[in-house]
Amino acid sequence: MNGHFHTIGRSLFNNAEDPYHQRIEIPTPDNDFLDLDVIKAPSYRPVVVLFHGLEGSSKRYYITELARAFSEQEYTVVATNFRGCSGRLNRQRRFYHSGETEDISTVIRWVGERFPNAPIGAVGFSLGGNALLKSLGELKSRHPLAVASAVSVPYDLAQGAQHISRGFNRVYEINFIRTLREKLKKKREFYPDLPTFEGNTIYEFDDQVTAPLHGFDGADDYYSRCSSQHFLEHIGIPTLVVHSRSDPICPMDIIPLEKIEANRSMSHVITDEGGHVGFWSEPPGWLNNTIVNFFAKKIDV
């Protein structure tokens, strides 16, 4: 139960006050929007963009605590809310998913225009980490980011969907399905022809809703095309991945360590404890300090 202790405990007991100075709505190329929560620092300082996990938001403890850690080092922080995750529904039929890199590009492009003289880094957690790594691999050394980190990533989405449906993990899955079902119900008020959902697992939701909404031929096609394990060898900027051997949702057999270690641009930290994005430590803040220190060595000079 160690992994569940870290995963659930950190979610329940945290210091997750809202640290942001401003909420900014930015447009997307398809006439939708993304809500960003920003902590602004001096213009010459680095910028870090944060991406949350499945059914998370900029308000999740792992985002707010890392945002504070970076802001204490005078970084500008841009915490992204994926479509439909900021507290209001997005305009278009589509939602967000584990391989969505166009919205990541939209945010990074906006940051580059708003802070033209600052180096930019990014951190993604779980689903957001998978999408970030995919983005890095797609653009290779041409990526506008200077540094990145990804935490508790489901590198193989198919295996991740299988693991979350097993044993105690069903507790997490049931909670995810509840909020996804609620969002779909609200979105159907505006788009009555949206796919219906008749199931109780992440795989079934992805097969019946996520895949057809975003142009995939079922869940298997979606997982195959969007799993970040297929993009790791092409990553060309300094990237730190962090994972726990006790992660109950994304266990060690899901991590393509050989691919990570074969890429000179990638570094990894694998801990014995930590659960899924939890990493409860004494003194507090080990995960945040690890990421901030990695960024400082790469861009904060």
Side-chain angles (χ1 to χ4, degrees):
M1 291 293 290
N2 169 62
H4 297 299
F5 173 78
H6 279 263
T7 304
I8 298 173
R10 286 294 290 116
S11 182
L12 294 177
F13 305 103
N14 60 78
N15 185 23
E17 294 91 350
D18 189 333
Y20 307 112
H21 298 163
Q22 184 180 17
R23 168 158 288 189
I24 299 175
E25 176 188 311
I26 66 171
T28 62
D30 62 342
N31 194 35
D32 210 336
F33 67 90
L34 294 167
D35 281 328
L36 311 179
D37 286 325
V38 179
I39 305 173
K40 193 172 182 180
S43 59
Y44 59 86
R45 296 291 292 150
V47 182
V48 60
V49 185
L50 308 182
F51 299 102
H52 61 77
L54 178 63
E55 287 303 273
S57 73
S58 63
K59 310 298 187 184
R60 289 290 287 150
Y61 73 89
Y62 53 84
I63 297 289
T64 60
E65 292 182 0
L66 184 57
R68 280 199 301 273
F70 271 113
S71 68
E72 288 171 359
Q73 302 303 314
E74 292 193 316
Y75 280 62
T76 287
V77 179
V78 178
T80 305
N81 291 280
F82 290 124
R83 302 192 193 205
C85 294
S86 66
R88 56 184 184 143
L89 286 177
N90 60 304
R91 298 190 190 100
Q92 298 295 338
R93 291 167 52 88
R94 50 157 302 171
F95 289 98
Y96 68 101
H97 61 83
S98 297
E100 175 50 64
T101 55
E102 292 181 7
D103 285 351
I104 287 179
S105 294
T106 295
V107 174
I108 295 172
R109 185 165 52 250
W110 178 86
V111 170
E113 294 170 354
R114 187 74 174 265
F115 305 95
N117 299 317
I120 307 170
V123 184
F125 291 83
S126 196
L127 174 148
N130 185 86
L132 177 59
L133 293 178
K134 179 173 177 282
S135 171
L136 297 177
E138 287 173 341
L139 296 182
K140 305 177 183 179
S141 59
R142 306 186 309 277
H143 207 286
L145 292 178
V147 64
S149 181
V151 181
S152 301
V153 174
Y155 298 90
D156 184 325
L157 297 175
Q159 285 196 51
Q162 292 173 10
H163 280 292
I164 202 169
S165 290
R166 295 173 181 168
F168 188 84
N169 287 350
R170 278 286 292 156
V171 172
Y172 308 119
E173 184 173 50
I174 289 170
N175 188 57
F176 287 140
I177 289 298
R178 177 182 58 81
T179 59
L180 288 167
R181 195 189 299 272
E182 290 172 357
K183 284 183 180 178
L184 180 61
K185 180 180 178 181
K186 291 179 181 178
K187 183 64 75 74
R188 285 179 59 82
E189 295 176 6
F190 300 93
Y191 296 100
D193 61 335
L194 283 181
T196 57
F197 174 54
E198 298 178 0
N200 57 15
T201 67
I202 294 293
Y203 178 89
E204 290 169 326
F205 187 87
D206 286 339
D207 196 50
Q208 297 172 24
V209 181
T210 306
L213 262 183
H214 300 97
F216 300 103
D217 186 17
D220 294 333
D221 179 50
Y222 160 47
Y223 294 157
S224 175
R225 291 165 58 185
C226 292
S227 292
S228 59
Q229 65 174 343
H230 303 310
F231 299 86
L232 300 179
E233 64 190 281
H234 302 300
I235 292 175
I237 68 165
T239 302
L240 172 69
V241 297
V242 183
H243 211 94
S244 168
R245 292 186 178 88
S246 71
D247 191 324
I249 298 175
C250 303
M252 280 298 295
D253 60 8
I254 213 172
I255 306 176
L257 272 179
E258 290 185 1
K259 289 186 176 182
I260 294 171
E261 293 174 344
N263 186 332
R264 292 185 176 183
S265 295
M266 300 191 71
S267 307
H268 64 81
V269 175
I270 309 296
T271 64
D272 290 330
E273 300 180 347
H276 188 73
V277 307
F279 297 95
W280 211 332
S281 63
E282 188 59 47
W286 171 85
L287 176 63
N288 299 330
N289 292 336
T290 297
I291 296 172
V292 170
N293 289 338
F294 180 79
F295 276 47
K297 293 175 182 178
K298 302 301 180 183
I299 61 172
D300 193 2
V301 294

